[in-house]
Amino acid sequence: MTGKQDRRAFLKVAGSTGVLGLTGLAGCSGDGGDGGDGGSGDDGGSTGESGSGTSVITLGGSMSLTGDNADLGQLYKDAYELTIQRINESGGIEAGDGNTYELDMVLRDDGTDASQSKSIYQELIDREGIDYLLGPYSSTVTLPASAVAAQNQKPMVEGGGASPEIFAQGNEWIFGLLPTANKYAKSYIDMCLAQDSAPESIAILAEDGTFSQSTAEGARNKISNTDLELVVDQTFPSDTSDLSTNLGRVRDSGADILLLCAHQKHNIILANQMESQDVNVDAAMGTVGSLNDSFKDEAGANGDYMYGPSSWAVNADFDDPVFGKTGDFVSGIEENYDYTPDYHSAAGEAVILTFMNAFQNVDELNPTAVRDHIHQTEFSTVYGTVTFDDSGVIDKNMLVYQWQPESDLQIVYPDNVAQSAPVYPMPDWSER
C-alpha cells in the first residue's frame, strides 16, 4: 500500500474488526496483518520470521478504537504504525543478541473497557505468545491491564495511563510515558497565580474515573499550599452528557478559575454549556482532550480561550533515532494522517522506541532482560528524554496551552517556552 488514502482505508477496515496487524503494512513480506490470528506475522509468539525469512518481534496490546475515547486511541495507533513502518523501512532493529529484527504489532479494540482489555492481554500472552506489551488508553483500563503484565512477567510500556495508583502497586513490569495525573493541574494553577490579577477562588469538577480523581486530588493538594479558596468541588459520573447543574453551581459560587478533570467528551460539553449557562470565569482548563483538533472542531468558537496541559510541545527540537528530529515526526503524521500530532502521538512514538532501545541493548532477548534495561535506560526521542524513576514513571513536567482565536493553539506557560502570553482573564460570553 502506498499513499495516505490507501493507508487510512486499510486502518478503517482493520479497526472495524477490532484487530490491527502491521507486518505487511510496515514493510515485511510475511502473511501477518490479515487479522485472522490477531495480525501477528508468525505462529510462535513475540519472535519469529516473516515470509521473507526476516526475524520479527511482535508487540501486542489493546487500545480505545471505538467509543468515547476513539479519537485519542487513534492518535496512539497512528503513531505506533508510522514508527514501526519507519523502523522496518530503514532495515529493522540490530539487536544486542546479534540478530536483526523487523517489528510487527497486534492492536485490538477494547472500547475503553477494563474487563475487555484484561481479556485481550491474557489472550495475547496465552494464545499469541506475545512477550512485549503496548499499554492501553485510560488509567481505569491501564491499572488492571498492568496487573496482567505483572502476573505473567511481561514488560508493558504505556503512554495512556497517568494515575499514580498504577505505579503504586510495586509492579516492576509497567512503564509510563505520561507524567502522573496528580501533576496535570499544577502548571495551570501556577500560571493563573502568576497573573497580575491573580485569582482568589477555584472550582473543580471531576469525572469519577481513576485518572480524573487522581488529577483532582493533585489539584487539591496544590491548592492547599496556596491562598486559593476551593469554592466548588464536585464529582460527576463518567457517562453523563449534562454538566449544566454543576456549572450552575460554579456560576453561583463566583469562582475565578475553573478546572475540569475529565476527558474529551466532557471538555466539549463544558465548552458548550459554559456558554449556555453564562459561566464567566477568568480561566478554564480541561485536563485531557482539550488540545486536539477534534475537540476544537466540535466545540467551535466555544472552545476559544480554553486551556489544556501537555507533556510535549509540537515545536520542540529533540533528536530521535528513527525520525531524526521532532519536526520530521510532526511532518510524517501530518502527511500521512491529515492532522497535527499532540502529546498522545509523541508518547506513542516513545512507547515503540522504548522497546526498540531495549532490544538494541540486551545480550539476550527475553522479557526480564528487556524490563531490566528499561528500568535504567536514558535516550532521546521526539518526545524528549526518556528515563524512568524507580516506580516506572517518566520524569516530565506539564506545559500549558491555550486556544487563542487569532493564533490558534499556543503554549502560554512556562514563560521560557511560551509562544504567546495567556489571554487572561478570558472575555465574558457577552463580549465574544
Side-chain angles (χ1 to χ4, degrees):
M1 284 181 199
T2 59
K4 182 187 311 175
Q5 292 180 338
D6 288 343
R7 181 178 296 110
R8 297 296 284 181
F10 172 84
L11 287 174
K12 183 175 181 181
V13 172
S16 68
T17 66
V19 58
L20 173 64
L22 286 178
T23 304
L25 182 62
C28 303
S29 58
D31 60 358
D34 61 5
D37 63 351
S40 153
D42 60 86
D43 295 325
S46 277
T47 56
E49 289 189 355
S50 68
S52 62
T54 304
S55 297
V56 173
I57 301 172
T58 302
L59 310 176
S62 79
M63 184 52 64
S64 302
L65 302 178
T66 58
D68 289 340
N69 293 319
D71 283 349
L72 297 175
Q74 185 74 38
L75 301 182
Y76 291 100
K77 185 172 80 167
D78 291 348
Y80 292 164
E81 177 213 15
L82 185 63
T83 306
I84 289 171
Q85 179 184 3
R86 292 293 178 88
I87 290 169
N88 290 345
E89 287 177 348
S90 65
I93 298 170
E94 294 183 9
D97 66 359
N99 296 312
T100 299
Y101 298 91
E102 291 183 334
L103 290 181
D104 189 11
M105 178 175 74
V106 179
L107 196 64
R108 292 180 176 164
D109 178 27
D110 59 37
T112 322
D113 181 274
S115 177
Q116 177 70 7
S117 178
K118 283 182 65 177
S119 297
I120 288 170
Y121 284 105
Q122 197 62 61
E123 182 175 292
L124 290 175
I125 294 167
D126 292 343
R127 295 184 59 184
E128 306 290 344
I130 288 176
D131 289 329
Y132 309 109
L133 304 177
L134 307 171
Y137 179 73
S138 159
S139 294
T140 303
V141 179
T142 303
L143 178 60
S146 67
V148 176
Q151 290 160 6
N152 291 274
Q153 298 187 343
K154 308 296 184 186
M156 173 181 283
V157 183
E158 57 91 6
S163 170
E165 189 178 352
I166 297 168
F167 306 97
Q169 310 298 314
N171 185 349
E172 297 181 347
W173 297 89
I174 182 69
F175 302 91
L177 284 153
L178 297 181
T180 47
N182 55 320
K183 296 181 180 179
Y184 270 51
K186 179 180 179 297
S187 295
Y188 168 68
I189 294 170
D190 285 337
M191 181 207 72
C192 292
L193 291 173
Q195 302 307 306
D196 291 337
S197 54
E200 297 179 357
S201 60
I202 182 171
I204 296 176
L205 302 179
E207 181 185 6
D208 61 6
T210 303
F211 167 83
S212 298
Q213 288 298 305
S214 296
T215 306
E217 184 59 28
R220 294 184 196 105
N221 291 337
K222 171 68 176 176
I223 291 164
S224 69
N225 293 311
T226 72
D227 293 328
L228 282 170
E229 180 184 3
L230 181 56
V231 294
V232 175
D233 188 359
Q234 291 197 316
T235 295
F236 58 86
S238 297
D239 61 358
T240 190
S241 58
D242 184 8
L243 296 176
S244 59
T245 300
N246 308 83
L247 287 169
R249 290 176 179 168
V250 174
R251 180 193 60 230
D252 296 343
S253 74
D256 294 320
I257 61 175
L258 171 60
L259 173 66
L260 176 71
C261 303
H263 293 79
Q264 178 172 310
K265 167 186 171 181
H266 294 111
N267 278 285
I268 295 167
I269 294 168
L270 180 88
N272 290 327
Q273 292 192 339
M274 280 181 65
E275 188 269 339
S276 64
Q277 296 293 311
D278 196 31
V279 178
N280 294 301
V281 291
D282 291 341
M285 185 180 86
T287 51
V288 176
S290 58
L291 300 182
N292 44 317
D293 291 340
S294 56
F295 161 78
K296 197 60 168 61
D297 289 343
E298 293 207 39
N302 287 343
D304 287 343
Y305 308 107
M306 281 283 292
Y307 294 89
S310 177
S311 55
W312 177 73
V314 72
N315 62 338
D317 189 30
F318 299 117
D319 291 327
D320 183 90
V322 172
F323 290 89
K325 290 285 188 179
T326 300
D328 297 310
F329 171 73
V330 173
S331 298
I333 292 290
E334 290 176 338
E335 291 168 3
N336 284 277
Y337 304 109
D338 288 326
Y339 63 81
T340 299
D342 71 2
Y343 73 91
H344 300 90
S345 310
E349 193 260 4
V351 166
I352 302 299
L353 263 61
T354 298
F355 277 117
M356 184 184 83
N357 179 268
F359 298 153
Q360 289 172 327
N361 286 282
V362 295
D363 294 333
E364 182 181 352
L365 203 63
N366 63 67
T368 300
V370 168
R371 177 204 65 182
D372 291 347
H373 179 79
I374 295 174
H375 268 296
Q376 54 85 44
T377 196
E378 183 173 349
F379 63 100
S380 180
T381 73
V382 300
Y383 189 55
T385 300
V386 171
T387 187
F388 300 95
D389 66 17
D390 292 341
S391 67
V393 181
I394 195 170
D395 183 15
K396 246 183 185 304
N397 292 316
M398 304 300 282
L399 309 174
V400 180
Y401 280 78
Q402 184 183 35
W403 288 102
Q404 298 187 350
E406 301 300 324
S407 48
D408 210 32
L409 196 60
Q410 296 288 293
I411 303 170
V412 295
Y413 190 85
D415 292 341
N416 63 333
V417 296
Q419 298 167 296
S420 300
V423 179
Y424 184 100
M426 297 162 58
D428 289 350
W429 292 103
S430 62
E431 298 172 358
R432 299 194 191 186

